[in-house]
Amino acid sequence: MTSRQMILGMQFSGGYGAEPGAWRLPGANLNSYTDMDQFVRYAQSAERGKVQLLFIADTPVLDMDLTHHAPRQAIDPMLLLTVLARETKRIGLVTTASTTFNEPYNLARQFKALDVISHGRAGWNAVTTSDPAAAANFGSPVPPRAEKYERAHEVIQIVQGLWGSWEKDALLLDVENKRYADMGKIQPVNLQGRHVASRGPLPIPPSAQGQPVIFQAGGGSYGLEIAGRYASGVYANPYTIEDARAQRQALRDAAKRAGRDPDEVKMLAGFMPTIAPSRQAALERRRFLDEVVDLDQRVRYLGAMIGLPLGPGQLDRPLTADQLADAVPSPHDPRSARALEVAREGWTLRDVIAHGVIDYHPVVAGTAADVADHMQQWFEAAACDGFSIALDGFHDGFDAFVDQVIPILQERGLFHKEYEGPTLRENLGAHEQYGLDPRVSQQDRS
Ligand SMILES: Cc1cc2nc3c(=O)[nH]c(=O)nc-3n(C[C@H](O)[C@H](O)[C@H](O)COP(=O)(O)O)c2cc1C
């Protein structure tokens, strides 16, 4: 039994699953994109498994061709999480919102409202937004990176300032003395930055966890600094254990530089499991999902990954002995070594691709035990503090993960058997914070 246990977050996307072809899976509810009952069922399944949080990635743009693929984004993450807040009791509710294309007052108000509505289970993944098509929806280009991140610091600090604009005991509810609140404890914040400003206070009292938890995702050295200073959880996208360990160390160092304890920041590694009764069945499921994928383009990309000029004509054949002798993993794509390893096992190129070697997170297509083994290996190698799970298809994936994978992790002592408490902070092991972290604001004044 290990004492350190993993944090699990389940990703919610457009409603069908992480794979663009998930909407076609036999048994899937074709209306999942807009059917709130369906989302509630998935959230309740994850909560049955004691999963710490649900996470909705988001970019405010329709950035895909819907001819064959279902939408990647939720119709509106805040509204969806508000629905889920009413139908769940313990699971954390985290979504992305842009620091570039939102005003801090709106962010502070909406997330704190969600935090109060959910009794202390809200989290904000603060991202700067890098997609020009998303920027176009707000009538402006993506600002230069340095400016974008300067604004991000200001926005997060103002949001946290506003969250703290009611002291913890400001709400009196004293009927006898006719005092609803203590206005001496509800104060403006008067924060003025170069890009944004807010007077405050917010019209919202503290939640059961005080205020929402900050998350962060990606973004090189600028992103690391945001994570190190403000985040309790970080979404990362490593492909190998070595890569993950390096990312986690960089994150821990960034937290230390900000004057924080590195254990306060939990790195969740993205992971895409396909769970089936056998490896063969898992591969068949992924071949079906790949029917809506542009495989010609993927074969060419696979070729670039392993240094061979591959074309669609070879889709249903494995690499020849000569090709295998010439193949070299590309140093530019961290997925390449795994792609070549799978190709060396003699699979056809269609099946190499079905193993998920070109997906945006590491993929394990196999049994529940295969999935648990991968998670155990990464976790015990200190490659992450937990996982952000992107299930290929939700309609059967949530129950498969909860009923088959989680019991194995629990049996191995790797995952908790009960929620630590009613709030997201308690379940993440996130430190108490109300308003700005004094360690961070202290730094700003120096
Ligand atoms: C695991 C992971 C999850 C991400 N989730 C989102 C998201 O939900 N929305 C978004 O706009 N960007 C998301 N990003 C993108 C990053 O926030 C960041 O914008 C990107 O890494 C580019 O960095 P830049 O903003 O410095 O150009 C994510 C990145 C990673 C690695």
Side-chain angles (χ1 to χ4, degrees):
M1 165 105 187
T2 31
S3 53
R4 189 173 155 260
Q5 291 191 312
M6 57 178 75
I7 307 279
L8 292 183
M10 309 288 276
Q11 294 183 27
F12 260 173
S13 49
Y16 301 94
E19 289 293 334
W23 66 278
R24 295 174 65 241
L25 279 169
N29 170 356
L30 289 172
N31 293 316
S32 296
Y33 183 45
T34 51
D35 184 345
M36 292 298 111
D37 292 339
Q38 194 67 45
F39 281 102
V40 167
R41 193 173 76 72
Y42 301 147
Q44 290 176 342
S45 169
E47 190 166 71
R48 181 161 50 79
K50 317 296 178 197
V51 167
Q52 282 91 345
L53 60 101
L54 297 168
F55 169 55
I56 306 181
D58 192 59
T59 316
V61 65
L62 177 61
D63 59 349
M64 55 194 299
D65 180 347
L66 299 183
T67 310
H68 306 295
H69 297 183
R72 226 192 320 259
Q73 325 283 5
I75 50 171
D76 182 279
M78 289 305 282
L79 294 180
L80 170 55
L81 290 184
T82 310
V83 168
L84 299 180
R86 301 292 299 155
E87 303 288 340
T88 53
K89 294 259 180 290
R90 289 287 178 267
I91 196 159
L93 306 167
V94 182
T95 187
T96 299
S98 173
T99 54
T100 305
F101 299 110
N102 285 297
E103 286 298 314
Y105 185 84
N106 293 343
L107 288 168
R109 187 178 189 184
Q110 287 197 321
F111 276 95
K112 193 143 185 210
L114 179 67
D115 208 29
V116 166
I117 291 167
S118 64
H119 304 289
R121 293 185 284 136
W124 170 32
N125 180 35
V127 305
T128 51
T129 307
S130 48
D131 184 349
N137 284 338
F138 300 88
S140 57
V142 175
R145 188 171 276 121
E147 189 184 317
K148 210 169 62 162
Y149 278 91
E150 188 179 63
R151 180 184 161 112
H153 282 275
E154 290 181 12
V155 170
I156 296 171
Q157 291 188 22
I158 292 176
V159 166
Q160 291 196 328
L162 287 166
W163 285 342
S165 61
W166 287 50
E167 285 181 36
K168 275 186 180 168
D169 54 353
L171 193 61
L172 299 174
L173 304 178
D174 182 349
V175 173
E176 201 168 321
N177 294 304
K178 298 176 288 203
R179 292 188 74 208
Y180 184 78
D182 179 350
M183 281 309 287
K185 294 182 173 177
I186 302 174
Q187 294 291 334
V189 295
N190 290 319
L191 286 167
Q192 172 75 57
R194 264 172 37 91
H195 304 273
V196 282
S198 185
R199 186 178 69 175
L202 273 191
I204 309 175
S207 75
Q209 66 174 353
Q211 69 188 32
V213 180
I214 302 274
F215 289 73
Q216 189 274 343
S221 60
Y222 286 108
L224 255 186
E225 176 159 7
I226 296 273
R229 296 181 86 183
Y230 313 106
S232 300
V234 169
Y235 291 103
N237 214 2
Y239 290 99
T240 63
I241 286 181
E242 296 68 41
D243 189 13
R245 286 173 65 121
Q247 287 190 32
R248 183 163 177 259
Q249 192 55 52
L251 183 61
R252 293 174 67 82
D253 291 345
K256 256 192 240 167
R257 280 198 301 277
R260 301 170 68 204
D261 173 355
D263 289 338
E264 289 178 21
V265 193
K266 308 286 192 306
M267 186 179 105
L268 306 184
F271 175 46
M272 297 177 90
T274 287
I275 307 155
S278 66
R279 290 183 193 181
Q280 196 51 43
L283 215 55
E284 264 165 40
R285 178 172 164 112
R286 290 193 59 90
R287 275 197 294 261
F288 179 81
L289 289 165
D290 279 351
E291 285 176 9
V292 300
V293 166
D294 182 350
L295 285 175
D296 293 0
Q297 188 254 334
R298 290 230 167 163
V299 168
R300 288 196 189 89
Y301 190 79
L302 178 65
M305 284 167 91
I306 58 177
L308 298 173
L310 299 178
Q314 204 179 335
L315 195 54
D316 288 306
R317 280 181 283 124
L319 294 183
T320 64
D322 285 349
Q323 284 176 318
L324 281 172
D326 289 346
V328 187
S330 160
H332 305 297
D333 190 323
R335 299 170 293 187
S336 304
R338 161 101 181 119
L340 185 54
E341 191 185 293
V342 174
R344 284 207 172 104
E345 289 169 10
W347 301 96
T348 64
L349 300 190
R350 186 188 297 278
D351 282 347
V352 173
I353 292 165
H355 277 79
V357 298
I358 313 184
D359 276 70
Y360 61 88
H361 291 316
V363 168
V364 169
T367 63
D370 293 329
V371 170
D373 287 349
H374 170 95
M375 295 171 74
Q376 178 166 13
Q377 194 193 8
W378 276 53
F379 186 67
E380 290 184 342
C384 58
D385 298 291
F387 296 89
S388 176
I389 307 286
L391 294 165
D392 57 352
F394 293 161
H395 77 284
D396 53 355
F398 267 90
D399 285 344
F401 189 83
V402 166
D403 296 330
Q404 298 172 40
V405 179
I406 285 184
I408 300 176
L409 298 173
Q410 288 171 327
E411 217 167 90
R412 296 180 187 175
L414 298 164
F415 189 59
H416 68 180
K417 292 188 170 160
E418 200 38 79
Y419 285 109
E420 280 68 31
T423 69
L424 177 56
R425 280 181 190 275
E426 282 166 278
N427 292 312
L428 265 186
H431 65 110
E432 282 262 319
Q433 185 179 337
Y434 199 59
L436 274 163
D437 185 331
R439 295 166 299 185
V440 170
S441 47
Q442 192 61 44
Q443 265 194 353
D444 279 346
R445 283 198 288 271
S446 62

